Structures are given as C-alpha cells and as structure tokens.
C-alpha cells in the first residue's frame, strides 16, 4: 500500500530531524585567550552553531569585544563577531575561572611566545592549566590545546592535573587541535580549513571534538586523527616546512641577483612541478609573524633536546635573519652608486609597510622591524606608513615619523623601501610619488610593483632576485 502521509507532515518531520540533529551536535564551549586565534576560533565555532564563551585576562580587550569593537585587524572578523553576538551564540568574559567552570569543553588559545633560550614559553598555557586544575569539580572536562605547543605538552598537562591538583584521571581528557589559520585570511581559513588535526589520549573526547567540526568536515575538510604527540608535532613540522620553502626561494633570489636571473620566472619554473607547487615561492625580506620565527626555533630546540640533528631548520633560521638585512644592504649599494659614500646618516628613508605581511596589523618579528633598526643604527631618519600596523609599531619605535597616508610618508625622502605586500601599494601613483620624493631611489623588497612603472617614473631601484635594469 502506498503511504498517505501528507506532504506537510513529512516536511515537519524533516525540519524536526534537522533541529534534533543540530541540538545533538552543538556544544557549549569555552575558548580561553581571545587573540588572533582564540577570537577567530570562538566566533567560528559560534558560526558553526555552538554556544561559545570567550575568556581573556585582558580586561580592556574583553570590554572592547563586549561593545562589538574588534581589537585586531582581520578582514571579515567584525561581521562574524557581530553576527554571532546578535544570535546570542557568542559572548565574552574576563572571569576565566567562571568560564572554565561553566562549560566542559575548554579550548586553550593563549600565546606561546619564544623564550630567551628559543624554546616555547608555556607560562600562559600553564596559567590556564592552573585555573582549570583549581576548577575541576565533578564534571568531566575536555581540555583542547589550540595554542601551538611543544611535543609532550598534552602529556605534561595530564601529569600536572593528576599530580599537582590531584584530579582523578577519569575527570578530564586532553586533546591536541593545532590551528592552521593565516592572519589576513583567518576567518576564511577557519571556516574552510584544508584539514582538521585532532590528537587525543581518549577516543570519546576525540569524537566529541570531531562533532564540533562536523559542519566543516561535511564541506570537505580532511580529518586527521592521531595521538597527542603526533598532532603536536604536525603543527611544528608544517610551519617549519613553509618557513623552509620560503627561505629556499629567498636564497635562490640572492643568487639570482648575482647572476642576473629572475626569481619570479624561476618560481614559475619550479612551482609548475606538482611535487613542488607554486605556494610560498615569493622571494622577499624574510619571513616574520607570530608563528614561523618562534615555531622554527621551538622545533629546533625540541629536536636538540632529543639529540636529533635538525640542522635544516637551524639553517633556515640563520638564513632568514640574514634575509631581513638584504633590503638595507641593497639600499646602501644604491646610495654608493649615487653618492659614493653609501652613508645613510641624515638620509630620510620612507618605509611603506610595517606589518609582517599584508592584511594584518601584526608586527611580531616583522622584517620591517629589522629594516628600521638597521636604518636607525646607521643614523637615518625614518618615516613610515602602514594600512593597519602603525599603532603596534609605535609601541616599539615611538620616535620615528608615522603618516596615515603613503604620499605624506614619502615626501622629501631620499629613498623608499616597500617592506609589506599590501595590495593597495600596487595601485600607488609612482609618477606622482616621483614628484614628492627628494631622490628617486626605491627598494621593492616584496617584488610587488611592476618595474616598468618604476622605471617609467624615473626611479633608480632594486627588488629581491629580479632582473631590473633600472639600477
Ligand atoms: P595572541 O597573543 O594574539 O593572543 C593570546 C591571548 O591570550 C591574549 O589576548 C592574552 O591576553 C590571552 N591570555 C594570556 N594568558 C591568559 C590566561 N591565563 N587566561 C586567558 N587569556 C589569556 O596569540 P595568538 O596569535 O592568537 O596565538 C595563540 C596561539 O595560537 C599561539 O600558540 C600561536 O602559536 C598559535 N597560532 C597562532 C596563529 C596566528 O596566526 N596568530 C596561527 C596558528 C596558531
């Protein structure tokens, strides 16, 4: 007999099933640390339908967030946060202890900066573990490290909670879930990740964290599940590999400079080989940012601790430090050609771009820092412009001259250095800039301006690993 259930009843059942499925797979989450990773992850989890409480000890940051003010520059983040505050799925607190008590899934997303010895400084992570240790009562907690942490940190967290806080082992699980988002495209990366890596000491906890990401897995992201140590090492290996690739092309660029070869064409020539790929083959002034410098150092430190020679990573770190000095070396060479001495004393140098890359306000380990330090050391007068990072750089170099407009920054300058690949720099009017500067000398350390345009405007200049014939 053919079923006679009316269409609207079927539809109702279907809608109820979807709601039930949603309720079943949504979770209450606390994210601890609302920096570049914690804030994007918190807002991202809310976007996936979870109820998220973001906690941070920085009261000013939390006050701003409660008012809908985003403390960092990250495209699309303001809209994502505003939307999820409005739906009631995202909220903020500076009461970290209460946030730990409130929810049973705890994502740790605090900073793990480089210590003086080069290893990861885990004091912020362990502060959070301390809060968790004092807060676990009778309900089971899943502690997820989203911060980049050295191999064995997950095990160490377990051992601390059991030994120092006498928490029974069955009352908590530890999961490693490294984050791979990139500043500048963090929202897009979080909501469309290439892969989600989960390492755990407990399969049930792993299944729950997997459920959190189910909507992303349904869209096609790859899931990699493994043990804690493997997951922790994946993150360091990924960042070291990227740093290494970038450093490789930078070193090839330095050679290309000497033999009049063109690195952009070399990148095409090698990138078209599928085994190599095009990504991360843009030569420049070295990598910076909050991840590659500290993570390569930390990986090298871990390997050293285990008596494993990871010299390829050490070489990358050394080569990158050298690369950051290349733009000023090139500038001095150009000055030498122009006025014999090559002396930078009293010369006014305009830096276009301060952030470690475009689309972010993050200046941590930015090549621009090394460039400014070198220039100041040589007695130059530095003027600077950046789309988003002036406030952060001012805290580091309060005495250089900052401008809100690139054309103002370059006025009467003896030379320009392009230090960040902001998209807007590509459409600067160099014919007009040529009328503003004192001397038409430019170092395009990001290789982003068409050399013909610079040459056409009468500039005398150089880039990194390009066959520019205007110097
Ligand atoms: P961040 O410095 O921007 O933010 C860290 C936040 O943690 C700050 O707001 C700080 O106030 C807060 N915090 C510190 N101690 C706290 C505590 N005890 N309780 C609550 N909050 C506390 O750091 P980030 O760039 O977001 O990086 C966080 C982690 O993610 C690091 O381990 C980093 O290596 C990793 N990571 C970063 C990126 C990136 O692009 N920034 C990408 C992938 C992974």
């Amino acid at each position: 007999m053919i079923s006679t259930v009316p269409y609207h009843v079927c539809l109702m059942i279907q809608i109820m099933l979807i709601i039930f499925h949603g309720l079943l797979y949504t979770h209450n989450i606390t994210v601890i640390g609302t920096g570049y990773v914690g804030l994007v992850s918190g807002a991202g989890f809310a976007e996936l339908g979870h109820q998220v409480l973001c906690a941070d000890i920085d009261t000013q940051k939390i006050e701003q967030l409660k008012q809908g003010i985003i403390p960092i520059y990250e495209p699309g983040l303001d809209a994502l946060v505003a939307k999820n505050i409005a739906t009631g799925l995202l909220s903020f607190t500076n009461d970290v202890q209460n946030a730990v008590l409130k929810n049973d899934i705890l994502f740790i997303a605090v900073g793990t900066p480089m210590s003086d010895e080069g290893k990861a400084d885990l004091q912020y992570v362990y502060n959070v573990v301390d809060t968790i240790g004092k807060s676990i009562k009778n309900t089971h907690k899943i502690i997820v490290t989203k911060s980049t942490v050295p191999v064995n940190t997950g095990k160490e967290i377990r051992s601390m909670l059991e030994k120092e806080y006498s928490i029974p082992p069955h009352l908590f699980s530890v999961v490693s879930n490294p984050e791979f988002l990139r500043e500048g495209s963090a929202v897009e990366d979080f909501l469309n990740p290439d892969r989600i890596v989960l390492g755990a000491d407990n399969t049930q906890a792993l299944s729950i964290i997997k459920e959190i990401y189910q909507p992303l897995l349904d869209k096609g992201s790859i899931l990699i599940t493994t043990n804690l140590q493997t997951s922790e090492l994946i993150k360091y290996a990924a960042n070291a590999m990227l740093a290494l690739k970038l450093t490789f092309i930078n070193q090839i660029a330095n050679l290309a400079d000497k033999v009049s070869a063109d690195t952009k064409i070399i990148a095409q020539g090698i990138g078209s080989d599928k085994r190599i790929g095009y990504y991360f083959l843009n030569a420049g002034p070295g990598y910076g940012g909050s991840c590659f410098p500290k993570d390569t150092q930390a990986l090298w430190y871990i390997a050293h601790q285990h008596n494993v020679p990871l010299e390829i990573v050490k070489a990358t770190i050394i080569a990158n430090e050298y690369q950051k000095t290349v733009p000023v070396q090139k500038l001095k060479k150009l000055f030498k050609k122009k006025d014999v001495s090559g002396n930078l004393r009293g010369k006014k140098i305009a830096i276009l771009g301060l952030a470690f890359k475009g689309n972010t306000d993050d200046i941590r380990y930015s090549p621009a820092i090394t460039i400014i330090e070198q220039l100041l050391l040589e007695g130059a007068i530095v003027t600077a412009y950046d789309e988003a990072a002036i406030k952060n750089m001012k805290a580091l170099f309060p005495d250089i001259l900052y401008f809100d407009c690139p054309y103002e920054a370059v006025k009467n300058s003896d030379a320009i250095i392009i230090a960040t690949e902001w998209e807007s720099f590509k459409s600067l009017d160099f014919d007009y800039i040529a009328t503003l500067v004192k001397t038409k000398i430019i170092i395009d350390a990001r290789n982003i301006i068409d050399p013909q345009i610079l040459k056409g405007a009468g500039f005398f200049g150089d880039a990194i690993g390009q066959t520019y014939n205007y110097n």
Side-chain angles (χ1 to χ4, degrees), residues 238-252 267 270-271 273-283 287 292 316:
N239 275 358
M241 184 73 188
L242 293 170
L244 202 141
K245 193 171 178 190
L246 208 52
T247 303
F248 179 78
I249 201 67
N250 283 339
Q251 296 221 302
I252 292 294
I270 61 176
D273 184 327
K274 287 192 191 70
R275 294 167 302 175
I276 297 172
Y278 292 108
Y279 291 105
F280 273 72
L281 288 180
N282 296 327
Y287 59 76
F292 292 177
T316 299

PDB file of all heavy atoms in Angstrom, residues 238-252 267 270-271 273-283 287 292 316:
ATOM      1  N   ALA A 238      54.659  21.522   9.980  1.00  0.00           N
ATOM      2  CA  ALA A 238      54.014  22.306   8.910  1.00  0.00           C
ATOM      3  C   ALA A 238      54.640  23.692   8.821  1.00  0.00           C
ATOM      4  O   ALA A 238      55.011  24.155   7.733  1.00  0.00           O
ATOM      5  CB  ALA A 238      52.511  22.414   9.184  1.00  0.00           C
ATOM      6  N   ASN A 239      54.786  24.359   9.960  1.00  0.00           N
ATOM      7  CA  ASN A 239      55.346  25.715   9.927  1.00  0.00           C
ATOM      8  C   ASN A 239      56.809  25.711   9.506  1.00  0.00           C
ATOM      9  O   ASN A 239      57.254  26.598   8.781  1.00  0.00           O
ATOM     10  CB  ASN A 239      55.174  26.403  11.288  1.00  0.00           C
ATOM     11  CG  ASN A 239      53.798  27.056  11.388  1.00  0.00           C
ATOM     12  OD1 ASN A 239      53.030  27.020  10.440  1.00  0.00           O
ATOM     13  ND2 ASN A 239      53.499  27.644  12.528  1.00  0.00           N
ATOM     14  N   ALA A 240      57.550  24.706   9.955  1.00  0.00           N
ATOM     15  CA  ALA A 240      58.966  24.639   9.570  1.00  0.00           C
ATOM     16  C   ALA A 240      59.089  24.407   8.065  1.00  0.00           C
ATOM     17  O   ALA A 240      59.930  25.001   7.391  1.00  0.00           O
ATOM     18  CB  ALA A 240      59.673  23.530  10.343  1.00  0.00           C
ATOM     19  N   MET A 241      58.233  23.552   7.527  1.00  0.00           N
ATOM     20  CA  MET A 241      58.259  23.262   6.087  1.00  0.00           C
ATOM     21  C   MET A 241      57.987  24.540   5.278  1.00  0.00           C
ATOM     22  O   MET A 241      58.668  24.811   4.276  1.00  0.00           O
ATOM     23  CB  MET A 241      57.177  22.211   5.796  1.00  0.00           C
ATOM     24  CG  MET A 241      57.123  21.725   4.390  1.00  0.00           C
ATOM     25  SD  MET A 241      58.539  20.661   4.107  1.00  0.00           S
ATOM     26  CE  MET A 241      58.415  20.407   2.383  1.00  0.00           C
ATOM     27  N   LEU A 242      57.004  25.319   5.718  1.00  0.00           N
ATOM     28  CA  LEU A 242      56.666  26.552   4.998  1.00  0.00           C
ATOM     29  C   LEU A 242      57.805  27.569   5.107  1.00  0.00           C
ATOM     30  O   LEU A 242      58.162  28.223   4.127  1.00  0.00           O
ATOM     31  CB  LEU A 242      55.362  27.149   5.556  1.00  0.00           C
ATOM     32  CG  LEU A 242      54.113  26.315   5.286  1.00  0.00           C
ATOM     33  CD1 LEU A 242      52.915  26.836   6.078  1.00  0.00           C
ATOM     34  CD2 LEU A 242      53.772  26.307   3.797  1.00  0.00           C
ATOM     35  N   ALA A 243      58.371  27.675   6.308  1.00  0.00           N
ATOM     36  CA  ALA A 243      59.481  28.613   6.516  1.00  0.00           C
ATOM     37  C   ALA A 243      60.673  28.213   5.642  1.00  0.00           C
ATOM     38  O   ALA A 243      61.349  29.057   5.052  1.00  0.00           O
ATOM     39  CB  ALA A 243      59.877  28.630   7.993  1.00  0.00           C
ATOM     40  N   LEU A 244      60.872  26.916   5.575  1.00  0.00           N
ATOM     41  CA  LEU A 244      61.996  26.367   4.796  1.00  0.00           C
ATOM     42  C   LEU A 244      61.812  26.668   3.302  1.00  0.00           C
ATOM     43  O   LEU A 244      62.755  27.082   2.616  1.00  0.00           O
ATOM     44  CB  LEU A 244      61.957  24.872   5.040  1.00  0.00           C
ATOM     45  CG  LEU A 244      63.134  23.984   4.855  1.00  0.00           C
ATOM     46  CD1 LEU A 244      63.105  22.949   5.980  1.00  0.00           C
ATOM     47  CD2 LEU A 244      63.024  23.245   3.549  1.00  0.00           C
ATOM     48  N   LYS A 245      60.589  26.498   2.812  1.00  0.00           N
ATOM     49  CA  LYS A 245      60.315  26.713   1.388  1.00  0.00           C
ATOM     50  C   LYS A 245      60.551  28.189   1.020  1.00  0.00           C
ATOM     51  O   LYS A 245      61.166  28.498   0.009  1.00  0.00           O
ATOM     52  CB  LYS A 245      58.875  26.291   1.080  1.00  0.00           C
ATOM     53  CG  LYS A 245      58.578  26.180  -0.397  1.00  0.00           C
ATOM     54  CD  LYS A 245      57.229  25.558  -0.659  1.00  0.00           C
ATOM     55  CE  LYS A 245      56.946  25.505  -2.147  1.00  0.00           C
ATOM     56  NZ  LYS A 245      55.577  25.125  -2.463  1.00  0.00           N
ATOM     57  N   LEU A 246      60.044  29.054   1.911  1.00  0.00           N
ATOM     58  CA  LEU A 246      60.209  30.488   1.697  1.00  0.00           C
ATOM     59  C   LEU A 246      61.695  30.878   1.733  1.00  0.00           C
ATOM     60  O   LEU A 246      62.166  31.673   0.921  1.00  0.00           O
ATOM     61  CB  LEU A 246      59.453  31.225   2.812  1.00  0.00           C
ATOM     62  CG  LEU A 246      58.918  32.608   2.538  1.00  0.00           C
ATOM     63  CD1 LEU A 246      58.094  32.633   1.269  1.00  0.00           C
ATOM     64  CD2 LEU A 246      58.026  33.043   3.706  1.00  0.00           C
ATOM     65  N   THR A 247      62.396  30.298   2.668  1.00  0.00           N
ATOM     66  CA  THR A 247      63.820  30.611   2.805  1.00  0.00           C
ATOM     67  C   THR A 247      64.596  30.105   1.599  1.00  0.00           C
ATOM     68  O   THR A 247      65.535  30.750   1.126  1.00  0.00           O
ATOM     69  CB  THR A 247      64.372  29.988   4.106  1.00  0.00           C
ATOM     70  OG1 THR A 247      63.593  30.505   5.174  1.00  0.00           O
ATOM     71  CG2 THR A 247      65.823  30.337   4.330  1.00  0.00           C
ATOM     72  N   PHE A 248      64.175  28.965   1.088  1.00  0.00           N
ATOM     73  CA  PHE A 248      64.843  28.412  -0.092  1.00  0.00           C
ATOM     74  C   PHE A 248      64.759  29.395  -1.259  1.00  0.00           C
ATOM     75  O   PHE A 248      65.774  29.734  -1.881  1.00  0.00           O
ATOM     76  CB  PHE A 248      64.218  27.061  -0.471  1.00  0.00           C
ATOM     77  CG  PHE A 248      64.831  26.457  -1.692  1.00  0.00           C
ATOM     78  CD1 PHE A 248      66.062  25.819  -1.625  1.00  0.00           C
ATOM     79  CD2 PHE A 248      64.211  26.558  -2.930  1.00  0.00           C
ATOM     80  CE1 PHE A 248      66.656  25.294  -2.758  1.00  0.00           C
ATOM     81  CE2 PHE A 248      64.797  26.038  -4.071  1.00  0.00           C
ATOM     82  CZ  PHE A 248      66.023  25.395  -3.983  1.00  0.00           C
ATOM     83  N   ILE A 249      63.538  29.896  -1.513  1.00  0.00           N
ATOM     84  CA  ILE A 249      63.399  30.804  -2.670  1.00  0.00           C
ATOM     85  C   ILE A 249      64.126  32.124  -2.390  1.00  0.00           C
ATOM     86  O   ILE A 249      64.671  32.743  -3.306  1.00  0.00           O
ATOM     87  CB  ILE A 249      61.916  31.018  -3.086  1.00  0.00           C
ATOM     88  CG1 ILE A 249      61.822  31.517  -4.535  1.00  0.00           C
ATOM     89  CG2 ILE A 249      61.198  31.972  -2.159  1.00  0.00           C
ATOM     90  CD1 ILE A 249      62.251  30.557  -5.579  1.00  0.00           C
ATOM     91  N   ASN A 250      64.184  32.533  -1.118  1.00  0.00           N
ATOM     92  CA  ASN A 250      64.930  33.762  -0.794  1.00  0.00           C
ATOM     93  C   ASN A 250      66.414  33.589  -1.102  1.00  0.00           C
ATOM     94  O   ASN A 250      67.059  34.489  -1.623  1.00  0.00           O
ATOM     95  CB  ASN A 250      64.755  34.126   0.678  1.00  0.00           C
ATOM     96  CG  ASN A 250      63.395  34.760   0.942  1.00  0.00           C
ATOM     97  OD1 ASN A 250      62.757  35.279   0.027  1.00  0.00           O
ATOM     98  ND2 ASN A 250      62.955  34.732   2.193  1.00  0.00           N
ATOM     99  N   GLN A 251      66.942  32.420  -0.790  1.00  0.00           N
ATOM    100  CA  GLN A 251      68.367  32.193  -1.040  1.00  0.00           C
ATOM    101  C   GLN A 251      68.631  32.068  -2.538  1.00  0.00           C
ATOM    102  O   GLN A 251      69.646  32.550  -3.036  1.00  0.00           O
ATOM    103  CB  GLN A 251      68.836  30.958  -0.279  1.00  0.00           C
ATOM    104  CG  GLN A 251      68.726  31.167   1.240  1.00  0.00           C
ATOM    105  CD  GLN A 251      69.904  30.618   2.004  1.00  0.00           C
ATOM    106  OE1 GLN A 251      70.194  29.428   1.902  1.00  0.00           O
ATOM    107  NE2 GLN A 251      70.557  31.457   2.768  1.00  0.00           N
ATOM    108  N   ILE A 252      67.699  31.422  -3.232  1.00  0.00           N
ATOM    109  CA  ILE A 252      67.834  31.353  -4.697  1.00  0.00           C
ATOM    110  C   ILE A 252      67.783  32.776  -5.268  1.00  0.00           C
ATOM    111  O   ILE A 252      68.532  33.128  -6.189  1.00  0.00           O
ATOM    112  CB  ILE A 252      66.713  30.461  -5.309  1.00  0.00           C
ATOM    113  CG1 ILE A 252      66.903  28.996  -4.907  1.00  0.00           C
ATOM    114  CG2 ILE A 252      66.639  30.610  -6.827  1.00  0.00           C
ATOM    115  CD1 ILE A 252      68.150  28.322  -5.465  1.00  0.00           C
ATOM    116  N   ALA A 267      60.505  30.773  -9.956  1.00  0.00           N
ATOM    117  CA  ALA A 267      59.386  30.257  -9.143  1.00  0.00           C
ATOM    118  C   ALA A 267      58.357  29.565 -10.033  1.00  0.00           C
ATOM    119  O   ALA A 267      57.814  28.521  -9.685  1.00  0.00           O
ATOM    120  CB  ALA A 267      58.756  31.389  -8.342  1.00  0.00           C
ATOM    121  N   ILE A 270      59.902  26.213 -11.240  1.00  0.00           N
ATOM    122  CA  ILE A 270      59.932  25.086 -10.295  1.00  0.00           C
ATOM    123  C   ILE A 270      58.538  24.810  -9.715  1.00  0.00           C
ATOM    124  O   ILE A 270      58.183  23.678  -9.437  1.00  0.00           O
ATOM    125  CB  ILE A 270      60.982  25.278  -9.163  1.00  0.00           C
ATOM    126  CG1 ILE A 270      60.702  26.512  -8.306  1.00  0.00           C
ATOM    127  CG2 ILE A 270      62.386  25.340  -9.734  1.00  0.00           C
ATOM    128  CD1 ILE A 270      61.661  26.659  -7.124  1.00  0.00           C
ATOM    129  N   GLY A 271      57.733  25.877  -9.567  1.00  0.00           N
ATOM    130  CA  GLY A 271      56.397  25.707  -8.967  1.00  0.00           C
ATOM    131  C   GLY A 271      55.457  24.894  -9.835  1.00  0.00           C
ATOM    132  O   GLY A 271      54.525  24.263  -9.335  1.00  0.00           O
ATOM    133  N   ASP A 273      56.093  22.277 -11.236  1.00  0.00           N
ATOM    134  CA  ASP A 273      56.293  20.864 -10.895  1.00  0.00           C
ATOM    135  C   ASP A 273      55.356  20.559  -9.721  1.00  0.00           C
ATOM    136  O   ASP A 273      55.478  21.165  -8.652  1.00  0.00           O
ATOM    137  CB  ASP A 273      57.761  20.671 -10.474  1.00  0.00           C
ATOM    138  CG  ASP A 273      58.097  19.218 -10.184  1.00  0.00           C
ATOM    139  OD1 ASP A 273      57.208  18.487  -9.690  1.00  0.00           O
ATOM    140  OD2 ASP A 273      59.252  18.824 -10.430  1.00  0.00           O
ATOM    141  N   LYS A 274      54.412  19.639  -9.945  1.00  0.00           N
ATOM    142  CA  LYS A 274      53.384  19.382  -8.915  1.00  0.00           C
ATOM    143  C   LYS A 274      53.999  18.973  -7.584  1.00  0.00           C
ATOM    144  O   LYS A 274      53.420  19.175  -6.529  1.00  0.00           O
ATOM    145  CB  LYS A 274      52.417  18.301  -9.398  1.00  0.00           C
ATOM    146  CG  LYS A 274      51.470  18.765 -10.477  1.00  0.00           C
ATOM    147  CD  LYS A 274      50.374  17.733 -10.691  1.00  0.00           C
ATOM    148  CE  LYS A 274      49.563  18.019 -11.942  1.00  0.00           C
ATOM    149  NZ  LYS A 274      50.329  17.793 -13.203  1.00  0.00           N
ATOM    150  N   ARG A 275      55.161  18.368  -7.630  1.00  0.00           N
ATOM    151  CA  ARG A 275      55.779  17.942  -6.372  1.00  0.00           C
ATOM    152  C   ARG A 275      56.250  19.152  -5.558  1.00  0.00           C
ATOM    153  O   ARG A 275      56.453  19.060  -4.358  1.00  0.00           O
ATOM    154  CB  ARG A 275      56.984  17.029  -6.647  1.00  0.00           C
ATOM    155  CG  ARG A 275      56.602  15.710  -7.290  1.00  0.00           C
ATOM    156  CD  ARG A 275      57.837  15.019  -7.808  1.00  0.00           C
ATOM    157  NE  ARG A 275      58.553  15.845  -8.772  1.00  0.00           N
ATOM    158  CZ  ARG A 275      59.724  15.516  -9.316  1.00  0.00           C
ATOM    159  NH1 ARG A 275      60.323  14.402  -8.983  1.00  0.00           N
ATOM    160  NH2 ARG A 275      60.308  16.306 -10.197  1.00  0.00           N
ATOM    161  N   ILE A 276      56.408  20.285  -6.231  1.00  0.00           N
ATOM    162  CA  ILE A 276      56.885  21.483  -5.528  1.00  0.00           C
ATOM    163  C   ILE A 276      55.721  22.444  -5.256  1.00  0.00           C
ATOM    164  O   ILE A 276      55.491  22.840  -4.113  1.00  0.00           O
ATOM    165  CB  ILE A 276      58.012  22.189  -6.334  1.00  0.00           C
ATOM    166  CG1 ILE A 276      59.217  21.229  -6.446  1.00  0.00           C
ATOM    167  CG2 ILE A 276      58.427  23.506  -5.669  1.00  0.00           C
ATOM    168  CD1 ILE A 276      60.317  21.701  -7.378  1.00  0.00           C
ATOM    169  N   GLY A 277      54.967  22.800  -6.306  1.00  0.00           N
ATOM    170  CA  GLY A 277      53.818  23.697  -6.136  1.00  0.00           C
ATOM    171  C   GLY A 277      54.244  25.158  -6.070  1.00  0.00           C
ATOM    172  O   GLY A 277      55.377  25.481  -5.740  1.00  0.00           O
ATOM    173  N   TYR A 278      53.294  26.052  -6.401  1.00  0.00           N
ATOM    174  CA  TYR A 278      53.616  27.485  -6.509  1.00  0.00           C
ATOM    175  C   TYR A 278      53.663  28.220  -5.175  1.00  0.00           C
ATOM    176  O   TYR A 278      54.284  29.267  -5.057  1.00  0.00           O
ATOM    177  CB  TYR A 278      52.579  28.193  -7.380  1.00  0.00           C
ATOM    178  CG  TYR A 278      52.634  27.778  -8.834  1.00  0.00           C
ATOM    179  CD1 TYR A 278      51.637  26.983  -9.390  1.00  0.00           C
ATOM    180  CD2 TYR A 278      53.680  28.202  -9.650  1.00  0.00           C
ATOM    181  CE1 TYR A 278      51.677  26.609 -10.723  1.00  0.00           C
ATOM    182  CE2 TYR A 278      53.735  27.826 -10.987  1.00  0.00           C
ATOM    183  CZ  TYR A 278      52.726  27.030 -11.512  1.00  0.00           C
ATOM    184  OH  TYR A 278      52.788  26.669 -12.818  1.00  0.00           O
ATOM    185  N   TYR A 279      52.918  27.692  -4.175  1.00  0.00           N
ATOM    186  CA  TYR A 279      52.799  28.469  -2.941  1.00  0.00           C
ATOM    187  C   TYR A 279      54.135  28.679  -2.240  1.00  0.00           C
ATOM    188  O   TYR A 279      55.002  27.817  -2.262  1.00  0.00           O
ATOM    189  CB  TYR A 279      51.845  27.773  -1.961  1.00  0.00           C
ATOM    190  CG  TYR A 279      50.422  27.792  -2.422  1.00  0.00           C
ATOM    191  CD1 TYR A 279      49.822  26.646  -2.936  1.00  0.00           C
ATOM    192  CD2 TYR A 279      49.676  28.966  -2.368  1.00  0.00           C
ATOM    193  CE1 TYR A 279      48.509  26.663  -3.384  1.00  0.00           C
ATOM    194  CE2 TYR A 279      48.367  28.996  -2.819  1.00  0.00           C
ATOM    195  CZ  TYR A 279      47.792  27.846  -3.326  1.00  0.00           C
ATOM    196  OH  TYR A 279      46.515  27.874  -3.767  1.00  0.00           O
ATOM    197  N   PHE A 280      54.256  29.830  -1.593  1.00  0.00           N
ATOM    198  CA  PHE A 280      55.434  30.154  -0.781  1.00  0.00           C
ATOM    199  C   PHE A 280      56.716  30.230  -1.590  1.00  0.00           C
ATOM    200  O   PHE A 280      57.781  29.865  -1.116  1.00  0.00           O
ATOM    201  CB  PHE A 280      55.565  29.151   0.396  1.00  0.00           C
ATOM    202  CG  PHE A 280      54.768  29.611   1.577  1.00  0.00           C
ATOM    203  CD1 PHE A 280      53.395  29.554   1.557  1.00  0.00           C
ATOM    204  CD2 PHE A 280      55.390  30.147   2.693  1.00  0.00           C
ATOM    205  CE1 PHE A 280      52.640  30.022   2.609  1.00  0.00           C
ATOM    206  CE2 PHE A 280      54.650  30.620   3.757  1.00  0.00           C
ATOM    207  CZ  PHE A 280      53.266  30.556   3.718  1.00  0.00           C
ATOM    208  N   LEU A 281      56.579  30.687  -2.814  1.00  0.00           N
ATOM    209  CA  LEU A 281      57.775  30.885  -3.636  1.00  0.00           C
ATOM    210  C   LEU A 281      57.931  32.361  -4.017  1.00  0.00           C
ATOM    211  O   LEU A 281      58.480  32.674  -5.072  1.00  0.00           O
ATOM    212  CB  LEU A 281      57.712  29.998  -4.887  1.00  0.00           C
ATOM    213  CG  LEU A 281      57.905  28.492  -4.657  1.00  0.00           C
ATOM    214  CD1 LEU A 281      57.821  27.723  -5.978  1.00  0.00           C
ATOM    215  CD2 LEU A 281      59.237  28.175  -3.969  1.00  0.00           C
ATOM    216  N   ASN A 282      57.419  33.257  -3.170  1.00  0.00           N
ATOM    217  CA  ASN A 282      57.615  34.690  -3.427  1.00  0.00           C
ATOM    218  C   ASN A 282      58.809  35.164  -2.614  1.00  0.00           C
ATOM    219  O   ASN A 282      58.749  35.218  -1.389  1.00  0.00           O
ATOM    220  CB  ASN A 282      56.384  35.499  -3.010  1.00  0.00           C
ATOM    221  CG  ASN A 282      55.174  35.140  -3.841  1.00  0.00           C
ATOM    222  OD1 ASN A 282      55.301  34.804  -5.019  1.00  0.00           O
ATOM    223  ND2 ASN A 282      54.014  35.180  -3.222  1.00  0.00           N
ATOM    224  N   ALA A 283      59.868  35.506  -3.320  1.00  0.00           N
ATOM    225  CA  ALA A 283      61.066  35.980  -2.609  1.00  0.00           C
ATOM    226  C   ALA A 283      60.776  37.320  -1.947  1.00  0.00           C
ATOM    227  O   ALA A 283      59.934  38.085  -2.405  1.00  0.00           O
ATOM    228  CB  ALA A 283      62.223  36.100  -3.585  1.00  0.00           C
ATOM    229  N   TYR A 287      60.838  35.840   6.338  1.00  0.00           N
ATOM    230  CA  TYR A 287      59.530  35.656   6.992  1.00  0.00           C
ATOM    231  C   TYR A 287      59.549  36.301   8.378  1.00  0.00           C
ATOM    232  O   TYR A 287      60.589  36.458   9.000  1.00  0.00           O
ATOM    233  CB  TYR A 287      59.154  34.171   7.088  1.00  0.00           C
ATOM    234  CG  TYR A 287      60.137  33.297   7.850  1.00  0.00           C
ATOM    235  CD1 TYR A 287      60.198  33.308   9.242  1.00  0.00           C
ATOM    236  CD2 TYR A 287      61.002  32.441   7.178  1.00  0.00           C
ATOM    237  CE1 TYR A 287      61.087  32.507   9.945  1.00  0.00           C
ATOM    238  CE2 TYR A 287      61.912  31.635   7.866  1.00  0.00           C
ATOM    239  CZ  TYR A 287      61.942  31.678   9.244  1.00  0.00           C
ATOM    240  OH  TYR A 287      62.819  30.902   9.937  1.00  0.00           O
ATOM    241  N   PHE A 292      56.114  31.525  12.357  1.00  0.00           N
ATOM    242  CA  PHE A 292      57.311  30.877  11.794  1.00  0.00           C
ATOM    243  C   PHE A 292      58.566  31.109  12.633  1.00  0.00           C
ATOM    244  O   PHE A 292      59.289  30.149  12.918  1.00  0.00           O
ATOM    245  CB  PHE A 292      57.574  31.327  10.354  1.00  0.00           C
ATOM    246  CG  PHE A 292      56.548  30.872   9.353  1.00  0.00           C
ATOM    247  CD1 PHE A 292      56.642  31.262   8.024  1.00  0.00           C
ATOM    248  CD2 PHE A 292      55.488  30.054   9.716  1.00  0.00           C
ATOM    249  CE1 PHE A 292      55.703  30.858   7.096  1.00  0.00           C
ATOM    250  CE2 PHE A 292      54.541  29.650   8.796  1.00  0.00           C
ATOM    251  CZ  PHE A 292      54.651  30.058   7.484  1.00  0.00           C
ATOM    252  N   THR A 316      67.621  27.336   8.245  1.00  0.00           N
ATOM    253  CA  THR A 316      66.514  28.210   7.827  1.00  0.00           C
ATOM    254  C   THR A 316      66.460  29.450   8.715  1.00  0.00           C
ATOM    255  O   THR A 316      66.306  30.581   8.225  1.00  0.00           O
ATOM    256  CB  THR A 316      65.175  27.429   7.917  1.00  0.00           C
ATOM    257  OG1 THR A 316      65.256  26.324   7.030  1.00  0.00           O
ATOM    258  CG2 THR A 316      63.989  28.288   7.558  1.00  0.00           C
TER     259      THR A 316
END
